[in-house]
Amino acid sequence: MAQVKLVNYDEAPAEVRAVFDDIMKTRNTDYINNIWRALAVHPPLLKRFWSQMKEVMVKPSRLDPLTKELIYLAVSVNNNCEYCITSHTFAARRHGLDDAMLAEFNEIVALANAGNRLTMGLQVEPDERFKPKHADTAWSVGKKPAVARKKPKQSR
Amino acid sequence: MAQVKLVNYDEAPAEVRAVFDDIMKTRNTDYINNIWRALAVHPPLLKRFWSQMKEVMVKPSRLDPLTKELIYLAVSVNNNCEYCITSHTFAARRHGLDDAMLAEFNEIVALANAGNRLTMGLQVEPDERFKPKHADTAWSVGKKPAVARKKPKQSR
Amino acid sequence: MAQVKLVNYDEAPAEVRAVFDDIMKTRNTDYINNIWRALAVHPPLLKRFWSQMKEVMVKPSRLDPLTKELIYLAVSVNNNCEYCITSHTFAARRHGLDDAMLAEFNEIVALANAGNRLTMGLQVEPDERFKPKHADTAWSVGKKPAVARKKPKQSR
Amino acid sequence: MAQVKLVNYDEAPAEVRAVFDDIMKTRNTDYINNIWRALAVHPPLLKRFWSQMKEVMVKPSRLDPLTKELIYLAVSVNNNCEYCITSHTFAARRHGLDDAMLAEFNEIVALANAGNRLTMGLQVEPDERFKPKHADTAWSVGKKPAVARKKPKQSR
Amino acid sequence: MAQVKLVNYDEAPAEVRAVFDDIMKTRNTDYINNIWRALAVHPPLLKRFWSQMKEVMVKPSRLDPLTKELIYLAVSVNNNCEYCITSHTFAARRHGLDDAMLAEFNEIVALANAGNRLTMGLQVEPDERFKPKHADTAWSVGKKPAVARKKPKQSR
Amino acid sequence: MAQVKLVNYDEAPAEVRAVFDDIMKTRNTDYINNIWRALAVHPPLLKRFWSQMKEVMVKPSRLDPLTKELIYLAVSVNNNCEYCITSHTFAARRHGLDDAMLAEFNEIVALANAGNRLTMGLQVEPDERFKPKHADTAWSVGKKPAVARKKPKQSR
């Protein structure tokens, strides 16, 4: 049971219905997944996360759709997010993933986890030749006059 | 050494300068952190991540600034992100965190990790009385007529 | 089903009853959560973990109760501990957390995870100005005479 | 550089010196590791964590010292805690771990991570026959009269 | 429900039956766990993972069987892999683990997670004296003549 | 500094040289990465891990080389394995990854982590329609006569 009541279309405010409509139109479906209905309890969050998902996963880019789903799925498997593994394996199958490819995908995820731990456990340091070689310059605002300030509020 | 060359103001395209200017104005500083200079190699990413950070961490909300920084820091410690721990501990100190509070904060993070593992290792199931009680309704687009479709492209 | 049989009051030895009594008295309840009943199979563990929980989470300190619960919850979400997310979301709601705040809290946890991965994936190094500035001194036992020894048993 | 200044013996308050003395006596050394000097900025935390470490890792128990160090090390490798991997590999070597055993240990950690991800990625469910079989009873305070209460402060 | 249909003996191809037969013979059982039946959808993966499991966990080595199971279990608890915790706790009990030892084991896992986070959160650096002291030599193929090459395909 | 002394070609035993030779031949290089030189302290481990890496990452399969590297890299970023991120980003660049694609890749990894945490934190349950639909049959050894046994040694 989700921690919040899943919002349904009829009871949703206009700003939520607008997002639901865009999700259904974008995905050519009349169904809204549980995650979107849960995020709808806080409309600004629903709008932000859907807009990111649409920008990053739906809009055509340098990486093909299946590769993008597999990258998303690799993270979901590593975090053991049952909901995410279920929904993104479903999505990857829509993009052509079959059982043999799914098994191959998971073996790569497993091998990477094994390799990561062998490297971390033995504290092996990166080979110099694999490190980036570019030269960074110190930050400079150039011509822009520095802003006078009392107490900077530096954060990440 | 970052995997990409840190972008500097003078060499940055207009769309990147616009974000850098907003970061400096918002934070009342003339310095741009390494993370933003790295994200600048892909302007759309820089714009999206800064807009999220500004919306979620900078804009006033129900949670106070220090609490928000501590939630962000708790995740960063759990993921052992050195950059993030360094920059967000710095930010939290700007909001009043002192050594004793930092130690107390880390003891809670440590205790939570201990409690999580004891629960997971012994596979203890949630008490019924702590589970949410609301009743969910199945998804329904209500009056909206269902969209006819061949192959839905359902994704997360 | 937990890996161990949950201990009940009637069958519990005196040292376990003493802890159960203290938990019920401290929390003003006559109910003991599953986790404590599970830890009771090994009384020394039950006593240690309850004493830590009481010291760190119950005793008044520099951080307010809700902030402490949110830090604990942030870790639990990151570790995907279902039991812990369920019980501590319940606890946070007792301290005033509502749906909108819970959504805001989770968006910060999500954003921190996103920021952490962007930083880790691009291997961005911490800005010098955010690093601590204090000067450490080498360990010295001062006046205390060094202990003569054959084979030290150094551990963490 | 640690986020807090490492405390030294001469400048430490009596309650911290008492813990430092106990650590040196227990480990038969005149050296205090950085972690203890860092925790010393918040004496209650130093006392609590040392008392747990002494109770769990130092006091003789059902599990032998090397096995305990390897369990601690397995977690440290999984969390990629450089400090912890360094100090506990050192400690494990003191208990007889050699290079071949360290390699074997890390291969088990790697294999477990691989197996975990294969299972999580394919969402394989536990076999009924491996689940615990005991029957749990609902919580009951037995003879103890239930405490009347207004608003219980249930927490984990 | 697993993402792939669990393969049964009768419907399995010869190469899969050969692995199933070896698993049953090696473990003196006529039952095959769900994980093996799932991996069987991709025979090469089934063969590889079983051969690793047999080599690392079954074949006698420097570490005793129970210690190996506890190392595997520590990782499984840390990754919160329900299937793995269930099956390997079962396996550890076969090797003599009882409730008190299981509780002790989990307290070490919990303590290690706590210690790891305290160290990571406070960014404590490893003590020089605990770091390895050996001197590494740069890679050299020695007498072997260097291979002439156009574009090396260096990978991990 | 790695926990074990990196093995060099001249001092390596024949079985290690054989693996080093195969790595150099397979990758058309005369350089051996630190990880392989570290694993060489335990020849059986070196042989097993290289054979897995060669089978899974080098041998042509259903997934293209760059996609395989990105899946491996996604896991490495999630585990924050510096060595692995460095070497596999290098490998991915050899397969055509440029700065913009690397940024896009990391944004997907970041988004997946955000989505995973939102789903886990709000405890959203998988939609029925995304779950696998196949019907599993109970394990049966079919014609094969069940092995008579006293105490099965079931393990994962």
Side-chain angles (χ1 to χ4, degrees), chain C residues 32-51:
Chain C
I32 294 293
N33 313 14
N34 294 341
I35 180 62
W36 303 115
R37 295 177 63 194
L39 297 180
V41 298
H42 192 48
L45 169 54
L46 173 67
K47 275 187 283 192
R48 275 191 288 266
F49 192 62
W50 166 244
S51 113

Side-chain angles (χ1 to χ4, degrees), chain A residues 66-98:
Chain A
L66 178 55
T67 297
K68 291 205 270 195
E69 281 298 338
L70 293 180
I71 293 167
Y72 198 111
L73 189 56
V75 169
S76 303
V77 170
N78 232 63
N79 291 336
N80 197 14
C81 174
E82 186 189 1
Y83 182 100
C84 320
I85 296 170
T86 303
S87 57
H88 286 276
T89 300
F90 181 93
R93 286 185 185 280
R94 287 279 180 198
H95 285 103
L97 191 78
D98 60 25

Side-chain angles (χ1 to χ4, degrees), chain B residues 68-100:
Chain B
K68 291 204 269 193
E69 281 297 337
L70 293 180
I71 293 168
Y72 198 111
L73 189 55
V75 169
S76 303
V77 170
N78 232 63
N79 290 336
N80 197 14
C81 175
E82 185 189 1
Y83 182 99
C84 319
I85 296 170
T86 303
S87 56
H88 285 276
T89 300
F90 181 93
R93 286 184 186 281
R94 286 277 179 200
H95 286 102
L97 191 77
D98 60 25
D99 281 1

